[in-house]
């Protein structure tokens, strides 16, 4: 490596750990800065995120320093509660603002973290107009996932999916390095033109200092310490398929098990209405800051990982909620086949049930609820798995090495 690098890091959904959303880019930008590089991170205003900047916006921008890197936040709101058109506009506005920065200043490397996929636009422009290499990170494969979730009657229009496909092809082909979260996503990157030797699998990490058995437990009012509590923490959208949890809850009336769903999303009002109408043992909370979520997981008995029954999810998803639960020492119950099922079963840290099988899901909850020693053993195995494979600090160190090689 030729020395300290000037790195432009693009992640529209950036958040510090005080927020309720993913913090991967925070850990990676901090690690790049700690390695001696000058890092400037651009982000927008994402629902649930906490950037740490609280001054006024001037001309749609506010700036500051965070953990030895510069942060520039655009006044572009975005969140899961927005409709498709509003989110798409937010994606394009961010790409346009980021492109001006990418082309106007001198950079040695651009890091473009997707989703949204449109973050690749400024990286490609910097590559083709200024010959700046870029690292393309794929957290969720687009357009593969939007296409899988789109129905004939709705979803993302086919011309938009086609345009997204061309953008993904260009990003994978032109990137000096491609970082992905799973082996399944790696396959899609190679299929879209990335050279296999340039693709690096760096899984979703977890902050082992934030989540773990050392955290003081907490439960919301009305849930006693002796109550059996199973927690889902994440988005409440179509992709999450949380109706499956309510179907299982309908079979658990009188079993002494409470399901607590934490988060926000377009499906949440309907889920709450159904739970109230049917008298289900389900409660809801708004998104929690990460430290509060860590305390809730320590106060829970079972962790829940749920997604809609979409075959493509099997090898493409790497959700925070799964590794957060491992780190917290919770036995994890998942209804997602493939990678998630292998993680919990092979390491002995949870139970996997078939997608769409409410009877199996309810049965697994009853089994875990009735066996304290089994829960303790699975939770301990999960913590060891988190320490061995998902330590955010180690993954960030590997990310720095990939970034430095990409710049070279």
């Amino acid at each position: 490596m030729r020395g300290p690098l000037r790195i432009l890091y693009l992640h529209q959904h950036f958040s510090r750990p005080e927020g309720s959303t993913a913090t991967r880019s925070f850990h990676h930008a901090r690690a790049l800065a700690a390695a001696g590089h000058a890092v400037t991170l651009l982000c927008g205003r994402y629902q649930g995120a906490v950037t740490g900047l609280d001054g006024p916006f001037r001309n749609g921008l506010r700036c500051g320093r965070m953990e030895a890197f510069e942060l520039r936040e655009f006044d572009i709101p975005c969140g899961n509660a927005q409709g498709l058109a509003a989110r798409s506009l937010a994606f394009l506005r961010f790409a346009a603002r980021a492109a001006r920065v990418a082309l106007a200043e001198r950079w040695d490397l651009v890091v473009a973290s997707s989703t949204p996929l449109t973050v690749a636009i400024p990286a490609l422009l910097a590559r083709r107009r200024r010959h700046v290499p870029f690292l393309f990170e794929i957290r969720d494969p687009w357009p593969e996932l939007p296409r899988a979730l789109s129905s004939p009657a709705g979803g993302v229009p086919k011309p938009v999916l086609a345009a997204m496909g061309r953008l993904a092809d260009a990003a994978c082909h032109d990137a000096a390095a491609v970082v992905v979260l799973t082996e399944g996503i790696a396959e899609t990157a190679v299929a879209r033109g990335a050279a296999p030797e340039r693709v690096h699998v760096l899984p979703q990490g977890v902050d082992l200092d934030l989540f773990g058995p050392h955290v003081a437990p907490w439960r919301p009012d009305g849930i006693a310490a002796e109550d059996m509590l199973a927690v889902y923490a994440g988005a409440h959208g179509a992709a999450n398929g949380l109706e499956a949890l309510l179907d299982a809850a309908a079979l658990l009336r009188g079993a002494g098990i409470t399901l607590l769903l934490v988060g926000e999303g377009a499906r949440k009002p309907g889920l709450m209405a159904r739970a109230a109408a049917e008298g289900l043992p389900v409660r809801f909370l708004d998104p929690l800051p990460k430290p509060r979520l860590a305390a809730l997981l320590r106060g829970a008995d079972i962790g829940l990982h749920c997604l809609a029954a979409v075959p493509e999810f099997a090898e493409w998803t790497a959700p925070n909620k799964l590794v957060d639960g491992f780190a917290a020492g919770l036995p994890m119950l998942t209804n997602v086949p493939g990678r998630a099922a292998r993680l919990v079963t092979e390491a002995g840290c949870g139970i996997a049930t078939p997608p769409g099988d409410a009877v199996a899901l309810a049965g697994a909850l009853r089994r875990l609820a009735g066996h304290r020693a089994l829960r303790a053993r699975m939770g301990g195995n999960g913590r060891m798995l988190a320490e061995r494979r998902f330590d955010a600090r180690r993954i960030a160190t590997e990310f720095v090495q990939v970034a430095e090689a990409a710049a070279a």
Side-chain angles (χ1 to χ4, degrees):
M1 191 184 67
R2 59 181 181 273
L5 303 170
R6 286 178 51 85
I7 299 174
L8 178 63
Y9 200 132
L10 309 176
H11 185 216
Q12 188 166 352
H13 303 335
F14 168 82
S15 179
R16 289 179 55 85
E18 294 85 353
S20 60
T21 189
T23 57
R24 182 178 174 95
S25 59
F26 167 80
H27 292 290
H28 289 182
R30 184 175 63 175
L32 286 166
H37 305 302
V39 181
T40 298
L41 192 147
L42 306 187
C43 69
R45 289 172 47 209
Y46 188 57
Q47 180 186 23
V50 172
T51 65
L53 301 180
D54 55 9
F57 287 94
R58 291 184 173 86
N59 297 319
L61 174 70
R62 61 184 177 186
C63 306
R65 292 198 66 81
M66 294 288 151
E67 303 285 342
F69 61 88
E70 181 186 1
L71 181 63
R72 303 183 193 176
E73 181 183 0
F74 297 127
D75 189 12
I76 302 175
C78 185
N80 291 328
Q82 292 177 319
L84 176 61
R87 279 185 289 126
S88 298
L89 179 59
F91 297 159
L92 292 172
R93 288 179 60 203
F94 179 83
R97 293 291 301 267
R100 289 198 286 270
V101 177
L103 295 175
E105 302 179 39
R106 182 180 65 81
W107 307 105
D108 299 309
L109 177 71
V110 174
V111 174
S113 183
S114 169
T115 60
L117 177 61
T118 44
V119 77
I121 294 174
L124 284 164
L125 287 172
R127 170 75 181 117
R128 296 180 179 185
R129 295 186 182 181
R130 301 289 299 274
H131 307 291
V132 180
F134 72 94
L135 182 157
F136 183 45
E137 180 177 57
I138 308 175
R139 302 184 185 212
D140 292 307
W142 282 25
E144 286 82 2
L145 278 185
R147 181 181 293 118
L149 288 168
S150 296
S151 65
V156 182
K158 289 184 178 180
V160 176
L161 290 172
M164 291 168 61
R166 291 191 292 273
L167 178 57
D169 289 345
C172 289
H173 180 270
D174 286 14
V178 179
V179 170
V180 298
L181 272 63
T182 73
E183 289 77 6
I185 301 176
E187 293 176 1
T188 69
V190 171
R192 290 197 171 277
E197 66 273 13
R198 290 189 284 111
V199 179
H200 308 267
V201 180
L202 301 182
Q204 189 68 272
V206 60
D207 188 336
L208 296 176
D209 293 329
L210 184 60
F211 291 88
H214 56 280
V215 176
W218 168 78
R219 288 188 171 200
D221 292 340
I223 300 180
E226 62 272 14
D227 293 344
M228 189 59 51
L229 180 62
V231 173
Y232 167 89
H236 291 42
N240 308 101
L242 300 186
E243 292 80 5
L245 297 183
L246 270 62
D247 292 342
L251 304 174
L252 293 171
R253 294 186 184 91
I257 303 173
T258 298
L259 275 59
L260 178 61
L261 277 55
V262 183
E264 191 57 81
R267 296 289 180 91
K268 185 171 184 176
L271 294 167
M272 294 179 68
R274 177 187 167 188
E278 298 181 19
L280 302 180
V282 180
R283 290 187 54 178
F284 296 85
L285 280 181
D286 290 337
L288 295 172
K290 288 284 187 180
R292 195 62 163 166
L293 175 61
L296 174 62
L297 294 184
R298 280 302 298 158
D301 301 291
I302 301 167
L304 299 172
H305 173 228
C306 181
L307 286 174
V310 177
E312 288 81 358
F313 284 161
E315 302 299 335
W316 288 348
T317 57
N320 290 330
K321 60 186 73 68
L322 195 59
V323 293
D324 289 352
F326 291 156
L330 278 180
M332 294 301 297
L333 175 54
T334 181
N335 70 344
V336 183
R339 180 177 180 273
R342 291 194 301 272
L343 281 174
V344 300
T345 56
E346 292 176 2
C349 53
I351 298 175
T353 64
D357 191 336
V359 174
L361 191 58
L365 280 164
R366 289 181 183 273
R367 179 187 174 199
L368 288 172
H371 294 82
R372 179 188 295 271
L374 177 63
R375 296 197 307 272
R377 183 169 68 252
M378 288 182 168
N381 290 341
R383 177 67 187 187
M384 288 190 292
L385 179 65
E387 292 172 349
R388 187 172 69 250
R389 293 184 55 181
F390 301 113
D391 185 346
R393 291 165 297 192
R394 178 185 57 78
I395 295 169
T397 298
E398 295 178 11
F399 184 88
V400 170
Q401 295 169 353
V402 173
E404 291 173 345

